[in-house]
């Protein structure tokens, strides 16, 4: 039995410390040590994108990264998308709801994180850029059209919010009133 390794990271806006085994993946640490089960476990070989999170501004498959490599990193998971907008859904999450992009929901946390990373880097993506940005995220329900539409809608609404005075913004959905704050199954 190897000795656990102490990790300190900034996770969803909070400083967190946790102990991992040297062979643990970041996915293991997020789900098992930090209880962030919004990040999904599926293929474990970097093919499905269900485990996508953002580390130091880059989206990546957390099943392919060792947890020890995340020491000192800034990590964002799907739970952090809602927190980013206070206690409300982000524009992107709301767009996924409004377009019916979430069917069984299993791929949605990964799709959201890839889309969020894309919109942070490319606020006005073309359809081809959206398809490329989400190419690593598979959806078994084949809801690709609705997912692309959601990202397009979010891009438009984010642009509108930049242009719109704070006082004219619609109140957003209270996450606590929704059946599942992660907009995806555990
Ligand atoms: S679980 Fe990581 S890419 Fe599929
Ligand atoms: S919504 Fe079911 S796998 Fe994508």
């Amino acid at each position: 039995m190897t000795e656990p390794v102490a990790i300190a990271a900034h996770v969803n806006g909070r400083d967190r410390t946790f102990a991992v085994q040297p062979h643990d993946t970041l996915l293991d640490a997020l789900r098992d040590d930090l209880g962030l089960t919004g990040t999904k476990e599926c293929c474990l070989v970097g093919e499905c994108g269900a485990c996508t999170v953002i580390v130091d501004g880059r989206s990546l498959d957390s099943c392919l990264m060792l947890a020890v490599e995340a020491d000192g990193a800034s990590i964002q998971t799907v739970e952090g998308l809602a927190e980013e907008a206070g206690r409300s859904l982000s524009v992107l999450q709301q767009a996924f709801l409004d377009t019916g992009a979430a069917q069984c929901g299993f791929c949605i946390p990964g799709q959201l994180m890839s889309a969020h990373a894309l919109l942070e880097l490319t606020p006005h993506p073309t359809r081809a850029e959206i398809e490329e940005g989400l190419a690593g995220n598979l959806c078994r329900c084949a809801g690709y059209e609705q997912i692309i539409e959601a990202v397009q809608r979010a891009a438009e609404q984010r642009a509108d919010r930049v242009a719109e005075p704070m006082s004219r913004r619609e109140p957003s959905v209270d996450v606590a009133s929704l059946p599942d704050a992660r907009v995806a199954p555990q």
Side-chain angles (χ1 to χ4, degrees), residues 101-108 111 138-143 147:
Q103 294 183 44
C104 81
F106 193 81
C107 73
I108 297 302
Q111 304 275 8
L138 304 184
C139 177
R140 288 169 296 179
C141 301
I147 290 169

Side-chain angles (χ1 to χ4, degrees), residues 28-134:
D28 294 329
L30 291 172
R31 289 181 59 87
D32 301 338
D33 298 309
L34 298 179
L36 297 171
T37 54
T39 302
K40 296 295 174 253
E41 181 179 306
C42 188
C43 72
L44 299 180
V45 291
E47 290 192 349
C48 73
C51 64
T52 304
V53 298
I54 298 176
V55 178
D56 292 333
R58 289 183 49 233
S59 62
L60 51 77
D61 295 326
S62 58
C63 70
L64 296 183
M65 181 175 182
L66 288 173
V68 292
E69 296 178 288
D71 192 28
S74 179
I75 301 167
Q76 189 176 21
T77 69
V78 70
E79 290 88 349
L81 283 186
E83 289 172 6
E84 194 173 64
R87 281 183 52 78
S88 24
L89 295 180
S90 69
V91 168
L92 182 62
Q93 288 172 306
Q94 188 64 53
F96 269 64
L97 276 182
D98 292 344
T99 60
Q103 294 183 44
C104 81
F106 193 81
C107 73
I108 297 302
Q111 304 275 8
L112 282 166
M113 299 317 290
S114 291
H116 180 69
L118 171 70
L119 292 178
E120 289 295 299
L121 284 174
T122 312
H124 308 289
T126 63
R127 182 185 171 98
E129 287 171 329
I130 295 171
E131 289 175 350
E132 186 180 344
L134 300 181

